[in-house]
Amino acid sequence: QKKLRQKVSYLRTELEETALIFQDAIVEFEIEFGEFFRKKPPTKDTHKRITTEPLEFNIPREDVNIIFRKIAQKTHPDKFAHTNIPKKILEEKIKLYKDAQNAVGNKDWARVIEIADELNIKFDDVKKDDTIYLEESVTGLSDKIAELKNTYAWLWANTNQENREKVKDQILMSLGLKK
């Protein structure tokens, strides 16, 4: 399970990096191919929604919620309303709470568990074997990375200069925009 958790963490980081590269690739692709699809030029905001859709996992909400309640007991902003906790620590707790809330919304077991680990929360009583959840996370993250890397935009951005015209013709032909 430890290996799977590390793999999920690695893939999550790879997805973030791939999404950033993809954003640049889609801008470059639309500059080159935009005339074939629409009349108005692309904007940065148009591309944000392509890469920021969260992954959703098919993990029972009850399991995720049990751990989230434990996290909330240590991080909920209301808990610190009348304390003299240093501002930096308060901000860290609130960030963890928001991250956990987002992970619960996506039923992202791996992220919820990471946050619980950071807070030294025991969760053995919740799910003895969470291998299925972690494997689902690995599959979902891997699929999303592959989806981004299998786009025309990714292909175009990763084509060297001397092959660009040939690749452009092939893309246009495959889209039915050129014979």
Side-chain angles (χ1 to χ4, degrees):
Q1 287 177 340
K2 187 175 181 178
K3 272 184 168 180
L4 275 174
R5 284 194 186 112
Q6 288 173 338
K7 188 170 186 174
V8 168
S9 180
Y10 170 80
L11 287 171
R12 187 178 285 114
T13 302
E14 185 177 348
L15 177 59
E16 288 172 12
E17 183 179 334
T18 302
L20 289 172
I21 294 167
F22 178 74
Q23 272 187 315
D24 292 339
I26 197 81
V27 170
E28 187 178 334
F29 181 81
E30 285 198 14
I31 288 169
E32 187 66 33
F33 292 86
E35 67 184 277
F36 297 100
F37 300 107
R38 70 170 103 50
K39 294 185 188 247
K40 68 180 194 179
T43 65
K44 271 282 195 197
D45 292 341
T46 307
H47 314 297
K48 250 187 175 168
R49 68 183 146 74
I50 295 169
T51 57
T52 56
E53 293 175 13
L55 286 174
E56 288 205 18
F57 301 98
N58 192 22
I59 296 166
R61 186 168 287 283
E62 308 82 53
D63 290 347
V64 175
N65 282 345
I66 292 168
I67 296 176
F68 177 70
R69 282 194 285 284
K70 291 181 179 191
I71 292 170
Q73 289 172 350
K74 291 189 172 197
T75 61
H76 194 281
D78 290 347
K79 180 178 168 89
F80 304 104
H82 301 290
T83 63
N84 292 330
I85 188 170
K87 187 176 180 178
K88 184 176 181 183
I89 293 173
L90 176 63
E91 288 171 356
E92 288 171 7
K93 298 271 187 189
I94 291 171
K95 183 184 181 316
L96 282 174
Y97 176 78
K98 288 179 180 178
D99 285 351
Q101 200 172 32
N102 187 38
V104 167
N106 295 329
K107 295 191 271 182
D108 184 351
W109 179 263
R111 182 61 186 138
V112 172
I113 294 303
E114 282 176 13
I115 294 168
D117 280 342
E118 281 181 52
L119 296 167
N120 296 316
I121 294 172
K122 301 292 179 218
F123 50 87
D124 296 342
D125 58 326
V126 178
K127 192 75 178 162
K128 299 290 183 222
D129 183 12
D130 59 356
T131 304
I132 293 170
Y133 298 162
L134 295 169
E135 286 173 346
E136 184 177 333
S137 295
V138 166
T139 301
L141 291 164
S142 297
D143 289 350
K144 185 66 176 175
I145 291 165
E147 180 185 324
L148 294 175
K149 289 183 174 181
N150 287 321
T151 61
Y152 287 129
W154 189 274
L155 172 67
W156 178 252
N158 289 287
T159 298
N160 57 30
Q161 220 42 55
E162 61 266 8
N163 294 327
R164 283 225 161 163
E165 278 308 309
K166 186 172 20 172
V167 170
K168 184 176 183 176
D169 288 342
Q170 290 173 340
I171 290 172
L172 292 173
M173 286 185 342
S174 72
L175 294 172
L177 299 170
K178 186 176 182 177
K179 292 187 181 207

